[in-house]
């Protein structure tokens, strides 16, 4: 047995709870279902679903104190041979890995503990009220729940906050199967597009307008590559849309539709550096970004979403939402943190992101929602597609190879979230003079056989050869079906798995040796 004791419903109560608020904090050592300190009250609610899975809901309120964090600790000795795996806040940067004990390591949202014959999973339910991270030491487990509003405390003023619902499960099954079952428990109501999604994400256009000729050439290439497919591909437009005439954006959607290509549009919904919208709608600390807590801003975002549908777009790709809303406040600061808060201080950062995505969903009509730069657990059940890896933002000879590692790493270790949280997008394969088809073909064949979204990004200076075009067409055909299941067989030993199993058949992939800076 990998753990010294089994988690049972009566064991879910933490051994102690620390509450941090502006100006101080308090440690609860006598834990019950209800606890109070001054004007702060905590409540713990037990629940057991029909399948016998226990959960613990944490509620918090305060009349005047501005709450910042709640930390729960369980005294629970750990065996030395366990391996641990967690998630990331938003997109992965190549760091997913099964590893031995590291008391300094944080696991956002959930953590898996692999023993000899079982897997234990600890996590918080989707769309919670806090940024949650787990920490495991030889002596126990702790859960940090960040309930700040921007960088300050949240002013609940007596409102009861559903901080998080905690789940503790044990599985006597392989770790991938255990992880998939646990993610389905954390996100019981995912949403999906009616058909698998694949196609082209166009490169960002220049500030001087829409380069229609190049985009329509891409559109023709995509239509030809998918000529025989019933499930039609998408072409997602990436452009500084705020500087364009509405006619140009409409014209592209209509032209794509005539070619049998479904148009998609990229929008950065909280970004307003040109000050088109009223200044009082902007964040005071970050005036280039809108304040998502204001009702006027949410109405404007919903208007932009409806406008995209009215222009004829069938997919909305909204990007940079967490960066523009929170500016990395939930991550460890690299310098002295800035003090700031939203216009409305009664919502936690997690609630701000969830409310934003709910507002988008309520206005989407029949469009497919694709999100980038969003916290994985918070938006599960609010998006059809989610980007799971972040590219290097630098131009170097090694960027393509390092980005490939990030994408395969994220795909392997987040595959348990595919069709349980949403449909994953590992990231578009970018064909360029530096990285052409030869570098990306293995990844393309893998994506096409993993039931994830499959996008490519073409470059005008890197035309596809006849062989590459044929193979890419085959990959599009596989992605259009979406009926394959891939499993990384060597993910316990390799952060860049090469041994994959697709629908029970081995699919060995030999990644080329790629140089790294020394």
């Amino acid at each position: 047995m990998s753990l010294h004791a089994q988690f049972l419903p009566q064991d879910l109560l933490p051994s102690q709870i620390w509450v941090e608020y502006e100006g101080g904090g308090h440690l609860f050592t006598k834990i019950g279902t209800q606890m109070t300190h001054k004007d702060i009250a905590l409540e713990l609610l037990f629940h057991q679903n029909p399948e016998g899975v226990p959960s613990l809901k944490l509620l918090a309120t305060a009349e005047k104190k501005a709450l910042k964090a709640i930390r729960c600790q369980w005294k629970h000795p750990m065996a030395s041979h366990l391996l641990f795996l967690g998630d990331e806040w938003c997109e992965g940067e190549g760091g997913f890995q099964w590893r031995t004990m590291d008391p300094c390591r944080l696991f956002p949202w959930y953590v898996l503990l692999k023993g000899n014959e079982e897997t234990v999973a600890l996590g918080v339910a989707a769309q919670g009220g806090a940024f949650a991270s787990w920490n495991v030491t030889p002596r126990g487990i702790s859960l940090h729940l960040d309930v700040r509003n921007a960088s300050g405390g949240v002013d609940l003023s007596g409102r009861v906050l559903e901080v998080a619902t905690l789940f503790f499960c044990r599985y006597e099954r392989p770790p991938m199967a255990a992880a998939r079952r646990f993610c389905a428990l954390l996100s019981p109501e995912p949403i999906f597009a009616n058909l698998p999604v694949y196609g082209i994400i166009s490169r960002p256009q220049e500030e001087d307008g829409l380069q229609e000729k190049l985009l329509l050439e891409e559109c023709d290439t995509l239509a030809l590559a998918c000529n025989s497919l019933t499930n039609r591909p998408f072409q997602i437009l990436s452009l500084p849309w705020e500087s364009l005439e509405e006619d140009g954006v409409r014209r592209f959607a209509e032209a794509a539709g005539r070619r049998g290509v479904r148009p998609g549009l990229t929008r950065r919904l909280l970004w307003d550096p040109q000050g088109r919208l009223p200044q009082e709608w902007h964040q005071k600390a970050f005036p280039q970004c809108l304040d998502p807590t204001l009702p006027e801003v949410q109405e404007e975002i919903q208007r932009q979403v409806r406008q995209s549908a009215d222009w004829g777009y069938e997919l909305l790709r909204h990007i940079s939402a967490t960066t523009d809303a929170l500016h990395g406040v939930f991550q460890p600061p690299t310098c002295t943190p800035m003090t700031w808060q939203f216009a409305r201080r009664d919502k936690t950062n997690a609630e701000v992101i969830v409310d934003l995505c709910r507002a988008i969903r309520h206005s989407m009509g029949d469009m497919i929602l694709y999100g980038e730069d969003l916290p994985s657990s918070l938006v599960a059940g609010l998006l059809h597609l989610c980007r799971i890896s972040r590219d290097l933002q630098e131009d170097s000879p090694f960027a393509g190879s390092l980005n490939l590692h990030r994408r395969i790493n994220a795909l392997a270790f987040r595959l348990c979230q595919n069709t349980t949280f949403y449909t994953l997008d590992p990231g578009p394969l970018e064909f360029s003079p530096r990285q052409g088809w030869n570098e990306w073909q293995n990844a393309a064949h893998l994506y096409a056989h993993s039931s994830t979204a499959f996008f490519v990004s073409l470059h005008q200076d890197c035309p596809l050869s006849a062989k590459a075009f044929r193979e890419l067409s085959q990959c599009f055909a596989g992605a259009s079906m979406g009926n394959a299941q891939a499993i990384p067989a060597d993910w316990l030993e390799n952060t860049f798995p090469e041994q994959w199993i697709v629908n029970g058949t081995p699919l060995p992939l030999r990644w080329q040796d790629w140089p790294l800076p020394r």
Side-chain angles (χ1 to χ4, degrees), residues 82-146:
L82 293 175
L83 294 177
F84 303 87
L85 175 68
D87 200 5
E88 288 285 355
W89 293 119
C90 295
E91 292 123 323
E93 299 182 359
F96 292 105
Q97 184 180 13
W98 285 100
R99 283 166 48 188
T100 53
M101 177 71 68
D102 181 355
C104 296
R105 187 181 180 192
L106 294 180
F107 302 95
W109 313 119
Y110 62 75
V111 58
L112 306 175
L113 292 68
K114 181 191 175 301
N116 292 332
E117 299 178 355
E118 65 180 359
T119 301
V120 173
L122 318 173
V124 296
Q127 302 177 36
F131 276 80
S133 60
W134 300 83
N135 175 247
V136 183
T137 72
R139 290 165 299 283
I141 301 167
S142 62
L143 171 64
H144 184 83
L145 298 162
D146 185 336

Side-chain angles (χ1 to χ4, degrees), residues 204-212 214 239-240 243-245:
Q205 301 296 293
E206 301 296 332
E207 294 289 342
D208 58 357
L210 186 66
Q211 299 180 14
E212 288 188 71
L214 294 176
L239 69 158
S243 66
L244 300 179
E245 295 294 332

Side-chain angles (χ1 to χ4, degrees), residues 36-62:
T36 59
H37 169 71
K38 296 183 178 179
D39 68 334
I40 299 172
L42 301 182
E43 185 174 5
L44 297 171
L45 301 177
F46 291 101
H47 179 70
Q48 199 163 22
N49 70 9
E51 284 144 13
V53 177
S55 64
L56 182 66
K57 179 176 289 188
L58 173 59
L59 308 177
T61 188

Side-chain angles (χ1 to χ4, degrees), residues 245-448:
E245 295 294 332
E246 179 179 331
D247 288 345
V249 183
R250 283 184 180 272
R251 192 163 54 244
F252 173 78
E254 293 169 356
R258 287 194 299 270
R259 288 162 168 80
V261 172
R262 304 174 70 183
L265 184 63
T266 300
R267 301 191 83 154
R268 190 172 177 178
L269 295 169
L270 293 177
W271 183 246
D272 185 30
Q274 298 174 345
R276 297 174 302 105
L277 299 172
Q279 191 59 37
E280 58 268 23
W281 293 8
H282 293 70
Q283 299 179 33
K284 293 182 179 179
F286 304 95
Q288 291 184 319
C289 299
L290 300 176
D291 189 324
T293 66
L294 295 173
E296 300 87 348
V297 170
Q298 289 208 2
E299 290 175 5
E300 169 62 18
I301 288 172
Q302 290 180 317
R303 184 196 68 80
Q304 292 183 26
V305 174
R306 290 191 295 268
Q307 181 188 60
S308 302
D310 291 341
W311 285 344
Y313 287 89
E314 299 184 38
L315 180 148
L316 177 66
R317 173 179 172 239
H318 62 104
I319 63 173
S320 302
T322 302
T323 295
D324 292 342
L326 302 182
H327 312 280
V329 72
F330 56 91
Q331 296 176 330
T334 56
C335 57
T336 303
M338 182 179 183
T339 301
W340 63 285
Q341 287 196 277
F342 291 112
R344 289 184 55 183
R345 301 185 178 185
D346 60 338
K347 294 283 188 177
T348 69
N349 293 329
E351 290 179 306
V352 169
I353 297 297
V354 171
D355 287 349
L356 173 64
C357 291
R358 284 176 178 162
I360 295 171
R361 182 182 176 185
H362 290 161
S363 306
M364 70 182 184
D366 295 329
M367 284 194 300
I368 294 171
L369 293 183
Y370 174 124
E372 290 188 19
D373 184 33
L374 288 169
S376 61
S377 177
L378 291 182
V379 300
L382 298 174
L383 297 172
H384 299 96
L385 309 173
C386 189
R387 171 77 183 267
I388 59 169
S389 67
R390 185 191 303 273
D391 286 348
L392 287 170
Q393 300 300 313
E394 62 182 54
D395 185 17
S396 78
F398 311 105
S401 297
L402 292 173
N403 286 337
L404 177 60
H405 177 271
R406 288 183 173 203
R407 290 168 182 169
I408 300 302
N409 177 258
L411 176 64
F413 291 89
R414 273 185 159 163
L415 201 54
C416 55
Q417 299 173 9
N418 193 46
T419 71
T420 55
F421 281 10
Y422 27 59
T423 298
L424 305 184
D425 174 29
L429 302 182
E430 299 180 345
F431 304 139
S432 68
R434 184 173 291 164
Q435 287 90 33
W437 175 254
N438 288 337
E439 179 155 354
W440 293 116
Q441 60 180 330
N442 282 342
H445 287 292
L446 174 59
Y447 294 178

Side-chain angles (χ1 to χ4, degrees), residues 468-480:
F469 181 82
R470 287 194 304 272
E471 292 191 17
L472 182 58
S473 297
Q474 294 172 3
C475 289
F476 281 149
S480 74

Side-chain angles (χ1 to χ4, degrees), residues 7-79:
F7 276 115
L8 296 172
Q10 63 266 29
D11 297 324
L12 298 186
L13 279 180
S15 56
Q16 61 183 33
I17 300 177
W18 167 260
V19 177
E20 180 185 359
Y21 51 84
E22 288 188 351
H26 178 73
L27 179 65
F28 292 99
T29 55
K30 294 183 179 180
I31 306 301
T33 56
Q34 293 183 335
M35 294 157 285
T36 59
H37 169 71
K38 296 183 178 179
D39 68 334
I40 299 172
L42 301 182
E43 185 174 5
L44 297 171
L45 301 177
F46 291 101
H47 179 70
Q48 199 163 22
N49 70 9
E51 284 144 13
V53 177
S55 64
L56 182 66
K57 179 176 289 188
L58 173 59
L59 308 177
T61 188
E63 293 293 337
K64 296 182 179 180
K65 298 290 186 185
L67 301 183
K68 300 183 74 173
I70 300 172
R71 186 176 179 87
C72 304
Q73 288 187 311
W74 292 263
K75 293 180 180 179
H76 198 89
M78 294 289 140

